[in-house]
Amino acid sequence: MKGFFITLEGVDGAGKSSHIGHLRQLCESSGHEVVMTREPGGTPLSEALRAMLLKESMHMETETLLMFAARQEHILSVIAPALASGKIVISDRFTDATYAYQGGGRHFPADKIRILEEWVQQQLQPDLTILFDVPLEVARERLEKSRERDRFEREDSEFFERVRAAYHARVSTDPKRFYIVDSSQPKPEIALQLQKMLKVKLAQHVAQGL
Ligand SMILES: Nc1ncnc2c1ncn2[C@@H]1O[C@H](COP(=O)(O)OP(=O)(O)OP(=O)(O)O)[C@@H](O)[C@H]1O
Ligand SMILES: [Mg+2]
């Protein structure tokens, strides 16, 4: 059976990392092998690029190219082999984040992102993208309470408004791929919604694979 590719998206502080472990458990308890990973990152080289991307200031062109360089390595070394062997891959961010942060946040042209996407991913697209959607004030308040901020997290609120709007624009390009969760709800509510949704998606996936 072909694997299943799940990506988690949303602005910083939306709640992606809070739910990834639970999603993994749900997949595993229904008998699937899971690879959990993140972007930028997921391989030693891509993690080194991540460290640079989150710290060093650079032109947005360089930033976008490095994101896709990290992604290329991640796909070839981790994502594609796992999917080819029938596993479920859950990635904390993927290409929608490039459209949202570099495209929406930094005004990098979407048509250039599309060229890189086609080059690096060829036919690969997530089967399911969970968008953790939350008002900016809520996400900001959560981040205030947590760890030190990286280069992206230090951007102003207009930047994050554009990122959130760009995520919504992504949904309209491929609505069937996305599941939007209202991430301002308490964690247990979100977990329950995700559990119900994932059960249906995995059953569909298994049915299609038979
Ligand atoms: N539904 C929620 N209600 C209250 N607090 C939450 C909720 N979801 C997440 N948080 C808290 O908000 C903070 C950020 O959450 P989390 O790290 O999951 O976000 P993230 O989307 O992974 O952010 P980043 O993109 O920066 O990695 C954490 O302290 C987390 O405990
Ligand atoms: Mg996170």
Side-chain angles (χ1 to χ4, degrees):
M1 186 189 288
K2 186 188 149 291
F4 195 69
F5 185 23
I6 303 173
T7 58
L8 311 186
E9 298 285 359
V11 299
D12 300 83
K16 301 175 293 299
S17 305
S18 298
H19 291 282
I20 198 166
H22 176 231
L23 290 168
R24 173 196 206 144
Q25 280 172 8
L26 291 171
C27 293
E28 284 178 345
S29 64
S30 43
H32 300 274
E33 265 192 83
V34 178
V35 172
M36 234 164 67
T37 188
R38 68 172 181 179
E39 286 216 343
T43 78
L45 177 68
S46 306
E47 289 290 330
L49 291 171
R50 177 192 182 92
M52 265 187 238
L53 279 159
L54 298 189
K55 194 162 160 241
E56 309 288 340
S57 70
M58 60 185 81
H59 294 100
M60 66 177 177
E61 291 80 0
T62 315
E63 184 178 290
T64 308
L65 287 165
L66 285 181
M67 287 287 180
F68 273 102
R71 182 163 298 137
Q72 182 72 87
E73 194 63 20
H74 190 205
I75 291 171
L76 294 176
S77 307
V78 176
I79 299 175
L83 293 175
S85 64
K87 294 177 184 161
I88 295 183
V89 176
I90 308 178
S91 184
D92 192 333
R93 297 194 187 281
F94 193 63
T95 305
D96 294 304
T98 311
Y99 281 99
Y101 282 75
Q102 283 68 47
R106 304 221 192 280
H107 302 293
F108 187 81
D111 55 343
K112 286 192 180 160
I113 298 177
R114 203 158 297 117
I115 291 168
L116 293 168
E117 178 185 23
E118 282 169 11
W119 187 44
V120 165
Q121 289 170 226
Q122 299 179 25
Q123 302 308 311
L124 177 70
Q125 286 295 337
D127 297 292
L128 167 67
T129 299
I130 303 170
L131 176 57
F132 292 84
D133 189 44
V134 73
L136 267 290
E137 316 80 70
V138 179
R140 288 253 129 170
E141 200 180 310
R142 288 178 188 170
L143 285 180
E144 303 281 328
K145 290 188 201 147
S146 63
R147 55 198 158 62
E148 204 182 308
R149 292 184 184 197
D150 65 37
R151 197 164 66 85
F152 292 95
E153 291 162 353
R154 289 195 298 269
E155 292 287 345
D156 60 20
S157 49
E158 284 77 29
F159 178 91
F160 283 102
E161 290 290 0
R162 292 197 298 278
V163 171
R164 189 180 183 208
Y167 269 129
H168 286 156
R170 291 299 292 158
V171 176
S172 50
T173 64
D174 191 4
K176 285 209 297 275
R177 173 163 67 86
F178 283 89
Y179 179 82
I180 305 179
V181 58
D182 171 2
S183 199
S184 57
Q185 303 173 91
K187 284 184 196 175
E189 304 268 324
I190 296 171
L192 197 63
Q193 276 176 24
L194 292 178
Q195 184 174 342
K196 283 188 195 155
M197 178 276 296
L198 197 61
K199 202 173 156 196
V200 173
K201 296 280 180 190
L202 291 179
Q204 283 170 353
H205 170 62
V206 170
Q208 278 164 9
L210 294 177

